[in-house]
């Protein structure tokens, strides 16, 4: 398989039989143009309605390629970002779908929408969407049941309850599987202190072949490399992405 970084949380995974695109938003290096020319079936995933994970531009690809299957989170439909007929498959947490090439399960998120487990050609792939321990930096400042006001989010936050929700989502994923060949996961420096905590908690609970950071655009490529020392300790391969359009063999 080859994995290409598009931008933010967007990736192209090419296998022998098909191509999978996850959470397309922007394409500064022009990756998608080449993808649409390939003679392989294309699967397009969007994990939730936020504009940095979903763009209606994906539907324009039909004009250039006919063999496309769109697999979208139901929250995109609920927030009226797309029409029911726009996608072939709509999934919420707990939903699944299978064809002759891939098997898809929708798992939970600590934000909107879902995370994805995809099995294809004897490989198991996880794309987290916006599943993460987003409020990790607030954890040292509160006791159970307390909230803290975040000026950034302009709301009261209960970071301990949020972490409990996150760890609960990981438990639900473990009910499906405890191992992945490839994991794409948010390592976002904007979280502040402890921004790798969610990723570390993930690799403590799952066997992972390769860990790939995402969602780091605002804090820069090198910020995501902080996760490497933790994945190295677990004997997990880590992709130090350096630019949009970069590709790696898996």
């Amino acid at each position: 398989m080859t994995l290409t970084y598009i931008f933010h949380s967007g990736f192209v995974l090419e296998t022998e039989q098909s191509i999978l695109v996850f959470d397309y938003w922007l394409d500064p290096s022009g990756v998608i143009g080449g993808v649409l020319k390939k003679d392989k079936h294309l699967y397009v995933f969007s994990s939730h309605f936020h504009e940095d994970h979903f763009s209606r531009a994906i539907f324009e690809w039909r004009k250039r390629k006919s063999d496309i299957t769109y697999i979208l989170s139901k929250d995109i439909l609920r927030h009226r970002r797309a029409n029911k007929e726009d996608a072939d498959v709509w999934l919420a947490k707990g939903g699944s779908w299978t064809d002759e090439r891939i098997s898809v399960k929708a798992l939970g998120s600590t934000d909107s929408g879902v995370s994805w487990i995809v099995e294809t050609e004897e490989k198991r792939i996880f794309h987290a969407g916006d599943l993460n321990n987003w409020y990790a930096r607030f954890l040292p400042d509160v006791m159970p049941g307390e909230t803290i006001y975040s000026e950034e989010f302009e709301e009261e936050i209960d970071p301990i309850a949020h972490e409990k929700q996150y760890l609960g989502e990981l438990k639900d994923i473990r009910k499906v599987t405890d191992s992945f060949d490839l994991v794409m996961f948010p390592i976002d420096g904007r979280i502040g202190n402890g921004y790798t905590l969610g990723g570390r908690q993930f690799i403590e609970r799952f066997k992972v072949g390769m860990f790939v950071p995402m969602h780091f655009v605002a804090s820069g490529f090198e910020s995501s490399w902080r996760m490497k020392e933790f994945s190295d300790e677990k004997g997990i391969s880590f992709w130090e992405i350096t630019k949009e359009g970069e590709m790696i063999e898996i």
Side-chain angles (χ1 to χ4, degrees):
M1 300 191 299
T2 61
L3 184 66
T4 304
Y5 174 65
I6 305 175
F7 185 75
H8 195 55
S9 297
F11 292 90
V12 176
L13 180 66
E14 182 172 355
T15 73
E16 185 175 337
Q17 298 180 0
S18 57
I19 301 174
L20 289 64
V21 174
F22 293 95
D23 282 18
Y24 176 89
W25 175 29
L26 300 172
D27 184 14
S29 62
V31 171
I32 292 299
V35 168
L36 297 178
K37 294 177 182 178
K38 296 199 173 186
D39 187 21
K40 293 183 180 180
H41 193 90
L42 177 60
Y43 297 91
V44 181
F45 296 83
S46 295
S47 65
H48 61 288
F49 78 97
H50 293 166
E51 67 174 8
D52 60 332
H53 291 259
F54 167 74
S55 169
R56 286 195 56 84
I58 61 176
F59 302 129
E60 295 296 312
W61 301 348
R62 283 196 182 104
K63 297 176 182 178
R64 301 171 59 185
K65 187 174 178 66
S66 60
D67 51 339
I68 303 180
T69 300
Y70 291 91
I71 305 170
L72 307 187
S73 168
K74 281 187 176 179
D75 76 302
I76 295 170
L77 186 62
R78 188 170 64 252
H79 285 87
R80 299 182 180 180
R81 298 297 195 270
N83 300 314
K84 190 172 183 179
E85 62 271 17
D86 286 330
D88 303 282
V89 183
W90 293 99
L91 294 177
K93 180 181 177 180
S96 61
W97 179 83
T98 302
D99 71 359
E100 67 275 14
R101 286 175 291 264
I102 70 170
S103 175
V104 181
K105 289 184 180 4
L107 277 297
S109 177
T110 44
D111 199 334
S112 191
V114 301
S115 51
W116 301 113
I117 296 177
V118 182
E119 295 188 49
T120 183
E121 299 175 29
E122 301 183 347
K123 300 293 183 183
R124 187 179 296 122
I125 298 110
F126 183 75
H127 187 286
D130 262 354
L131 173 69
N132 199 1
N133 193 343
W134 288 111
Y135 304 136
R137 75 174 181 266
F138 299 114
L139 287 170
D141 301 323
V142 296
M143 298 293 289
E146 290 183 348
T147 61
I148 188 167
Y149 183 75
S150 167
E151 293 185 0
E152 178 184 356
F153 298 104
E154 297 183 340
E155 62 180 341
E156 290 287 332
I157 290 168
D158 185 338
I160 293 177
H162 181 84
E163 180 178 60
K164 184 177 180 180
Q165 179 196 359
Y166 172 65
L167 297 178
E169 297 295 352
L170 297 190
K171 284 183 179 179
D172 288 344
I173 295 169
R174 278 187 60 91
K175 293 174 184 176
V176 178
T177 183
D178 66 353
S179 64
F180 296 98
D181 297 286
L182 170 65
V183 168
M184 292 160 276
F185 195 93
I187 302 295
D188 190 335
R190 294 176 301 173
I191 293 176
N193 290 337
Y195 72 93
T196 62
L197 180 60
R200 286 182 277 140
Q201 290 169 322
F202 190 94
I203 64 174
E204 286 169 358
R205 289 161 175 78
F206 296 91
K207 300 172 187 175
V208 176
M210 171 170 278
F211 188 100
V212 176
M214 65 182 192
H215 213 282
F216 51 75
V217 164
S219 50
F221 289 98
E222 293 185 10
S223 68
S224 71
W225 302 350
R226 178 76 175 88
M227 187 66 195
K228 186 177 187 302
E229 69 175 88
F230 304 109
S231 58
D232 283 351
E233 289 176 2
K234 297 286 186 179
I236 298 169
S237 297
F238 182 86
W239 186 15
E240 295 176 80
I241 304 172
T242 63
K243 62 182 179 180
E244 290 87 7
E246 189 169 8
M247 179 187 299
I248 191 170
E249 294 281 344
I250 300 174

